[in-house]
Each structure stands twice: as C-alpha cells, then as structure tokens.
C-alpha cells in the first residue's frame, strides 16, 4: 500500500502541493482528478523521485520513499507511464520493452513478460521491429504502458494516458488498465478525462491548487454535484 | 605515384587518429549536449603521461598505464567540473569545460616548464616500412586497422549491450531513462571513460609521428577532430568517423601540395561551409519531437 501524508512540494517560490494526504490500497484503481496545474503530475513525479518534496512522507509498504534515488523506487516495484508517453523514438518497440526491464536480471522471465505485454497489446507484437517514433499516438501510449509493465511493478502510475487520443482508442486503453489491475497490479491514474477515470476507479481524489478537496469511491464522485459541474461539464 | 600513395596513407592514418578524438566529442555531445573543450587537452595530457612514464617504466607497462590514467582523468573531470552543473544552463557547463581546458594546459606548462618534451620512440610502430615503393611508418598502417576494430567494438557495445541501450536512452531523454531505473550519472561517467580511452589510444598513435610534445599540442588536433565531429553530424558516431577520415585526407592532400600553409584554413572553411549549408552535418540527427 502507498500512503502519502501531509506532502508539501514547491518549485522555486510556487507551492505545487500544500500538504496532501492520500492512500492507494493494494489491488485497487485509484484516480486523481483535477484541472491543469492542480498538482496531479507533481504528485506522481514526487512519488517516483523525479521531484523532491519539501516535507511530508510517502510510505510504500511501510518503508519511506522520500529521499530515495529513482532507481531504488523503481526497483521497489513502482513504475510510471509518463505524460506525453515519452517512448524512445529511435529504438524499436521490442527495445523499448526491454529497456523497461532494465533493472531486472532474470532473462527468461523478461522474455516471458515481453510475450505477456504482446498478449495485452497484439498491435505491438505486429510492430515489434518498428521504430517507436513511427507508431501512432495510441500505439505509443500502449507501448509506454507496456514498457512500464516490463519492470513487473506492484504499483503502476499512469499520467494522462488518454491525452490526445481518439475516443475509441481511449476506451481500449482504459479496458487494458482494468485488465492489468485484474492481474494484480495496483493502479494510480491521473486523468483530465474525469468521466472515464471515475468510472473505472475504486477510489478517487479531487485535487485543487495543491490541496485534496474531495475524496470517495469513483461512483460517489461521479454522482457528486460539484464534481459534475467542475469536471464533467454537466450543469445540474 | 609513390608520392600519391604516401599522401593517401598518411591521410588515412591521420583521419583515424582524428576519429579516435572525434568520437569522444560526439559521444559527450550526444549525451550531455556539451562540447567538451577539455577533450583535446586530455589527449595532450595522455601524450605527456607517456613521456614521463616511459622515462622510468618499460613501454609494455607505460602504454596500459597511460590508458588507465587518461580514463581516470576523464572520469574525474566529469565528476568535478560537469556533474555539479547538471541542472545549470548548458552555457555554464561549456564555460566550465573551457576552464578545464585552460587548467590542463597551464598545469602541463607548469610541469614541463613550457619546454617541448621528446616523445618516446615506440619500437614496432615507429619503425619505417615500404609500401608500394612509398616509405612510411608502421603506425600509418596500424592506425586505420585499429580504428576500425575499436569503432566496430564500440558499435557493438552501443547497439547490443545493456550499457549501450542505457546510453542511447539517456541521450534521448534523461527523465524517462531515470524512470526505467537507469542511473544517469553512471551512464554519463561511462561515456567519458570511453571517450578518454579512445583519446588516449589516439594520442599514442598521433604523437608517434612527432618528435616532441608541448602543452598546446592537444589544441589543434582537438579542434580538427571537433570540426570532423561537426562535419559528420555531432552526436553521431559513424558521422564522427567518416568526418575524421575526410578531414585527415584533405589535410594530408593539401599539405602535400603547394598550398601547404592553407591546410588549417581549409579545415575551418569546411566547418563554416557545413554549418551554413547543412548544420546537422552528414549524419546528423533530425530533430523529431512527436508528442
């Protein structure tokens, strides 16, 4: 379980996170929704160690993550599919997957997991030798998710996986996220597409200018008046 | 005919030596987007180490020791002068590189007293042989073969090993590489180690052709190798090698003609032309940012 307590993060003089606390229980899908600049990405980036926190704590299965180097955090079973996909454009699809398993040494198991990712995303198998930069946006997103899975994470963090994708592709991605979760991976999902995210989430938090203002199950927030107005674009 | 052959041979050999330096420039640029101005001086320091080590040690011990110490020097330079500036603007790192360059030159002046130092004869590669009637040093033949072998090994390393994969990833995207669990500082150090190693090999081959070495001996070969790296497309290893052979050959041809004194002018004119006509060089990467 991931447990964040009173986390403060600031960039220069700007406070991006003003003491947030949240929990990501094992085996669940948890989503953070909020407007641009609310601090969603900052939260994920702080968990992975890309951003340094000014105070607070991030507990992962009882151990403190703050202050640990990124490779130790990844090694502890936390993987992230970054915003904007960030696949390695001039490497093949297969190489992108292999590099996702960079910290692992079990060669036979890595090959098995490549096959597992290909079974989740048959489109990637067809394009195994293609350079990642030549894939469509949806395929790149699949690759970014597959690459993160290659480290065999216990917790998978996804930063805006639906960004810039066609609605049908978004549905594909979300059904895969569910599938991954069913196979035992905890998911922490950040989304602008609050509607989709809340539908698949067990737990949801609303982030506004660095504070958590609401939380509840996905269904509760989906029914909440304020959430509907602010994030789902529905009046009443 | 003999004359043509000897010019060609020395051009290829010179090109190979530039290639070994140019790879260091291009690899560091590829990963840090830094033009490592100190690289030519590392090459010079390797030459001086050779002078001092052979004074007290046999050749068989001096050469490996020069390689190891040069690698160490490259590693320390990166850790001391570039790593602390990782988050700083690129210009700061570049100025730091210029600082290291002058530091090495001045240290060398201090140690040598500014006097030229006799470069040792290396039996085997300093010897003269005759090829198709043209007398030349063995090093002329050894250089291109050694360069091709080293480049082949380097290509294997970059494309077929984990370290190589990590290098390519770090060169493209620091942050995402870190998310894969790659330690970028280790990868950057590895890059400097490889670059310095090749510069040390290049130094042994290059200075064998000269009587002596001075603290500024690294400046011009370094600059020409840099031009070669830009010519081939900075960031690209095949580019640096091809560029270096072209620069080496044209320098040798011009030096063999009555235009001899213009050889550097030609090299740098080439730099200006390539920057104007094709700024990315022969094999330079196109910037593809797909979001």
């Amino acid at each position: 379980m991931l447990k964040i307590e009173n986390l403060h993060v600031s960039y220069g003089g700007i406070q991006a996170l003003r003491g947030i606390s949240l929990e990501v229980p094992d085996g669940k899908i948890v989503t953070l929704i909020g407007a641009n600049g609310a601090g969603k990405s900052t939260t994920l980036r702080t968990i992975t160690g890309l951003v340094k926190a000014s105070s607070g704590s991030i507990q992962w299965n009882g151990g403190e993550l703050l202050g640990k180097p990124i490779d130790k955090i990844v090694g502890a079973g936390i993987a992230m599919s970054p915003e904007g996909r960030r696949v390695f454009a001039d490497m093949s699809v297969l190489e992108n997957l292999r590099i996702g398993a960079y910290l692992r040494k079990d060669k036979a198991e890595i090959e098995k997991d490549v096959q597992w990712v290909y079974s989740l995303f048959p489109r990637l198998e067809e394009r195994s030798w293609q350079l990642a930069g030549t894939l469509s946006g949806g395929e790149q997103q699949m690759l970014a998710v597959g690459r993160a899975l290659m480290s065999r994470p216990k917790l998978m963090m996804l930063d805006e996986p639906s960004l810039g994708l066609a609605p049908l592709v978004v549905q594909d991605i979300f059904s895969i996220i569910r599938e991954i979760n069913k196979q035992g991976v905890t998911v922490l999902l950040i989304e602008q597409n609050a509607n989709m995210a809340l539908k698949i989430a067990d737990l949801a938090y609303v982030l506004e200018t660095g504070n958590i203002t609401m939380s509840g199950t996905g269904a509760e927030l989906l029914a909440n008046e304020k959430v509907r107005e602010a994030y789902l674009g529905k009046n009443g | 005919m003999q004359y043509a052959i000897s010019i060609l041979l020395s051009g290829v050999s010179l090109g190979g030596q530039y290639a070994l330096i140019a790879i260091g420039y291009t690899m560091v640029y590829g990963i840090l987007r830094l033009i490592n101005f100190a690289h030519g001086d590392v090459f010079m320091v390797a030459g001086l180490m050779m002078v001092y080590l052979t004074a007290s040690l046999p050749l068989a011990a001096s050469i490996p020791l020069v390689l190891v110490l040069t690698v160490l020097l490259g590693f320390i330079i990166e850790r001391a002068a570039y790593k602390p500036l990782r988050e700083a603007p690129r210009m700061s790192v570049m100025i730091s590189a210029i600082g290291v360059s002058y530091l090495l030159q001045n240290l060398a002046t201090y140690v040598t007293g500014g006097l030229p130092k006799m470069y040792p004869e290396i039996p085997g590669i300093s010897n003269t042989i005759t090829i198709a009637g043209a007398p030349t040093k063995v090093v002329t033949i050894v250089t291109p073969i050694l360069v091709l072998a080293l480049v082949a090994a380097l290509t294997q390393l970059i494309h077929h090993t984990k370290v190589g994969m990590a290098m390519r990833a770090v060169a493209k995207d620091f942050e995402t590489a870190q998310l894969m669990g790659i330690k970028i500082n280790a990868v950057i150090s590895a890059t400097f180690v490889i670059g310095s190693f090749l510069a040390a090999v290049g130094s042994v081959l290059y200075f064998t052709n000269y009587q002596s070495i001075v603290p500024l001996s690294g400046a011009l070969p370094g600059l020409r190798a840099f031009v070669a790296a830009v010519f081939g497309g900075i960031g690209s290893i095949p580019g640096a090698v091809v560029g270096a052979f072209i620069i080496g050959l044209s320098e040798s041809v011009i030096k063999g003609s009555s235009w001899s004194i213009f050889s550097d002018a030609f090299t740098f004119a080439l730099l200006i032309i390539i920057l104007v006509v094709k700024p990315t060089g022969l094999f330079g990467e196109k910037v593809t940012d797909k979001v």
Side-chain angles (χ1 to χ4, degrees):
Chain A
M1 180 163 93
L2 184 82
K3 193 172 178 190
I4 298 180
E5 273 177 348
N6 203 20
L7 184 68
H8 288 265
V9 176
S10 40
Y11 299 109
I14 302 153
Q15 279 217 309
L17 294 179
R18 302 157 189 261
I20 64 161
S21 299
L22 61 87
E23 280 180 15
V24 184
D26 284 344
K28 304 283 186 201
I29 299 180
V30 178
T31 186
L32 278 179
I33 59 172
N36 276 332
K40 301 181 309 263
S41 287
T42 304
T43 308
L44 290 203
R45 292 164 60 84
T46 313
I47 297 171
T48 57
L50 281 170
V51 171
K52 303 278 169 263
S54 36
S55 68
S57 100
I58 302 177
Q59 302 270 324
W60 170 240
N61 294 333
E64 180 63 52
L65 287 186
L66 282 187
K68 277 197 179 174
I70 305 171
D71 56 298
K72 290 282 182 294
I73 293 171
V74 176
I78 297 180
M80 175 153 112
S81 155
E83 183 175 0
R85 322 187 231 293
R86 309 276 282 264
V87 294
F88 295 108
D90 53 0
M91 290 189 194
S92 70
V93 168
L94 185 60
E95 277 185 306
N96 266 279
L97 292 180
R98 290 242 168 88
I99 205 165
Y102 183 78
L103 288 174
R104 294 170 57 186
K105 302 213 157 39
D106 45 343
K107 273 199 171 167
E109 289 295 301
I110 292 174
E111 289 315 305
K112 257 192 216 165
D113 283 357
V114 169
Q115 294 312 316
W116 171 54
V117 169
Y118 281 161
S119 69
L120 287 171
F121 304 104
R123 294 263 284 281
L124 294 183
E125 183 164 22
E126 292 163 24
R127 305 192 187 307
S128 185
W129 296 105
Q130 213 167 305
L131 293 185
T134 65
L135 301 179
S136 71
E139 289 160 348
Q140 289 192 5
Q141 184 60 56
M142 292 173 189
L143 182 56
V145 172
R147 183 179 63 183
L149 284 175
M150 286 301 294
S151 67
R152 277 226 184 143
K154 295 183 199 90
L155 170 64
M156 168 85 149
M157 303 196 288
L158 297 137
D159 196 344
E160 304 267 8
S162 74
L163 196 74
L165 300 183
L168 271 178
V169 182
V170 173
Q171 284 192 350
D172 278 355
I173 299 275
F174 273 79
S175 70
I176 293 285
I177 293 172
R178 263 196 176 134
E179 175 61 32
I180 292 165
N181 177 248
K182 270 190 200 136
Q183 300 197 15
V185 182
T186 309
V187 174
L188 176 54
L189 171 70
I190 279 187
E191 263 301 337
Q192 297 255 350
N193 190 338
N195 191 27
M196 287 292 277
L198 290 174
K199 273 182 188 152
I200 68 163
D202 298 305
L203 261 176
Y205 293 89
V206 177
L207 207 53
E208 277 171 20
T209 56
N211 288 300
I212 288 179
T213 52
M214 267 184 272
S215 64
T217 65
E220 278 169 13
L221 289 193
L222 210 50
N224 184 297
E225 276 300 309
K226 279 187 192 157
V227 174
R228 289 168 67 88
E229 259 179 51
Y231 302 106
L232 304 177
K234 288 166 190 162
N235 299 315
Chain B
M1 184 62 199
Q2 269 177 28
Y3 189 58
I5 287 173
S6 79
I7 281 178
L8 224 61
L9 280 175
S10 72
V12 169
S13 165
L14 196 59
Q17 289 149 10
Y18 289 159
L20 292 175
I21 315 174
I23 290 171
Y25 277 112
T26 219
M27 282 181 76
V28 166
Y29 183 86
I31 252 176
L32 285 182
R33 302 290 180 273
L34 162 72
I35 293 164
N36 181 12
F37 285 108
H39 194 57
D41 302 292
V42 168
F43 169 83
M44 173 273 296
V45 171
L48 277 182
M49 284 180 189
M50 190 73 185
V51 171
Y52 285 101
L53 285 173
T54 47
S56 50
L57 287 171
L59 214 55
S62 318
I63 293 180
L65 208 54
V66 165
L67 299 183
V68 170
L69 289 175
T70 311
V71 161
L72 202 64
L73 178 67
F75 175 83
I76 292 170
I77 290 173
E78 195 279 320
R79 284 288 150 122
Y82 306 151
K83 186 175 169 233
L85 295 170
R86 202 74 89 219
E87 309 293 322
R90 266 160 58 190
M91 191 55 80
S92 313
V93 193
M94 203 166 288
I95 290 166
S96 184
I98 294 172
V100 173
S101 166
Y102 281 111
L103 177 69
L104 291 179
Q105 285 177 14
N106 283 290
L107 278 178
T109 309
Y110 178 76
V111 170
T112 60
L115 299 169
K117 290 281 164 186
M118 286 290 286
Y119 199 76
E121 286 264 318
I122 304 177
I125 64 171
S126 298
N127 297 349
T128 305
I129 52 163
T130 309
I131 289 179
T136 182
K137 282 188 171 183
V138 176
V139 67
T140 318
I141 311 302
V142 171
T143 302
I145 297 167
L146 193 60
V147 169
L148 290 182
L150 286 172
V151 169
L154 183 62
T155 313
Q156 276 293 315
L157 176 90
I158 285 173
H159 288 281
H160 301 287
T161 67
K162 234 174 153 174
V163 183
M165 189 159 78
M167 281 180 170
R168 284 183 290 148
V170 174
K172 282 295 163 215
D173 188 340
F174 265 33
E175 226 177 74
T176 312
Q178 284 177 291
L179 286 178
M180 305 294 113
I182 296 169
K183 295 195 191 96
I184 50 169
N185 287 329
V187 171
I188 292 167
S189 290
T191 310
F192 276 82
V193 162
I194 294 171
S196 309
F197 172 78
L198 295 176
V201 174
S203 152
V204 173
L205 298 171
Y206 179 85
F207 288 115
T208 306
N209 289 320
Y210 293 84
Q211 294 289 321
S212 60
I213 175 170
V214 293
L216 283 174
S217 292
L220 259 184
L223 219 48
R224 294 188 197 118
F226 169 65
V227 173
V230 173
F231 187 80
I234 194 142
S236 151
I237 291 171
V241 175
V242 171
F245 278 112
I246 291 173
I247 298 284
L249 272 169
S250 43
E251 187 184 322
S252 178
V253 168
I254 294 175
K255 278 201 170 142
S257 72
S258 51
W259 297 83
S260 175
I261 49 165
F262 291 108
S263 83
D264 280 328
F266 175 82
T267 305
F268 295 113
L270 204 62
L271 174 66
I272 293 167
I273 292 168
I274 196 84
L275 286 177
V276 170
V277 177
K278 197 168 185 300
T280 54
L282 293 177
F283 297 84
E285 51 188 281
K286 291 174 217 86
V287 184
T288 44
D289 278 327
K290 190 173 177 182
V291 179

